[in-house]
Amino acid sequence: MRNTFIVLAAVIIGLFAYTKLMAGVGSGSPPADAPLEQRTDLIRVYKSERRMVLLRGDAALSTYRISLGWAADEGPKQREGDEKTPEGRYEIDWRNPKSMAHLSLHISYPNPDDQRNAQSGGFPPGGAIMIHGLPNGWGLFGNIHQLWDWTDGCIAVTNAEMRDIWARVPDHTPIEIMP
């Protein structure tokens, strides 16, 4: 029994160390921008369907299966640490090519309403909500990540999908996150 515990503890510590080490390595170089006719002008996320759609006008350019925050089905994000994914209209306001996950696009949460709602409850609203790929070093898991919600409130896709999204989504693209 003791040996099993020691092996299990060593594996857990090793996985944690590997994840921390790979987070510092970065994602590599981001892809070039897609041609103008392939770029999106709206992102729409359907939380209950675990689906994200890139739109140009009324036409869907791409659709992705997504993973969300651990508590995504419990409503919109209300405060830091609640593990929920926000709901509402935001925009992609900056990007991080050296993210701890494979590339990331920042969602402009919290907006002023989110800030007021959190502060009225006496809580900080949280932040750092991103669309991102898998944690660096874990890309080989690909679509397996879709089997459960595992983020802290972000929207996760595969690394290949994240490269496509990065190339197609300009800064200041609106994003609508629906229940």
Side-chain angles (χ1 to χ4, degrees), residues 8-179:
L8 183 60
V11 167
I12 291 170
I13 291 168
L15 290 173
F16 180 77
Y18 174 76
T19 301
K20 287 296 187 184
L21 175 69
M22 294 309 292
V25 170
S27 302
S29 58
D33 291 343
L36 190 57
E37 66 274 4
Q38 294 178 15
R39 292 189 206 163
T40 187
D41 55 22
L42 176 65
I43 303 167
R44 190 165 288 140
V45 174
Y46 301 92
K47 287 174 51 175
S48 64
E49 298 174 24
R50 301 305 190 265
R51 181 170 58 103
M52 181 171 70
V53 181
L54 302 186
L55 298 156
R56 184 169 181 86
D58 291 332
L61 296 176
S62 297
T63 300
Y64 309 92
R65 288 197 24 128
I66 58 175
S67 294
L68 300 170
W70 290 92
D73 290 330
E74 296 174 20
K77 185 161 193 64
Q78 298 172 323
R79 61 186 174 104
E80 184 174 32
D82 66 7
E83 308 294 325
K84 297 178 183 180
T85 300
E87 294 174 7
R89 188 169 173 96
Y90 303 94
E91 74 172 29
I92 301 302
D93 56 357
W94 54 271
R95 54 190 62 230
N96 185 359
K98 298 190 186 297
S99 173
M100 60 69 66
H102 186 72
L103 305 173
S104 61
L105 301 176
H106 185 260
I107 297 170
S108 63
Y109 175 89
N111 64 28
D113 288 339
D114 298 321
Q115 291 175 355
R116 273 192 298 281
N117 290 339
Q119 289 170 350
S120 72
F123 302 105
I129 303 298
M130 316 287 265
I131 300 171
H132 60 71
L134 299 177
N136 293 325
W138 295 97
L140 63 117
F141 286 101
N143 290 328
I144 292 172
H145 85 96
Q146 297 167 347
L147 296 176
W148 65 91
D149 290 322
W150 56 271
T151 77
D152 291 333
C154 295
I155 299 167
V157 295
T158 68
N159 291 355
E161 291 168 334
M162 190 61 222
R163 293 184 69 75
D164 183 55
I165 293 163
W166 180 283
R168 291 175 178 245
V169 175
D171 287 346
H172 307 293
T173 299
I175 178 169
E176 294 176 350
I177 306 173
M178 325 285 256

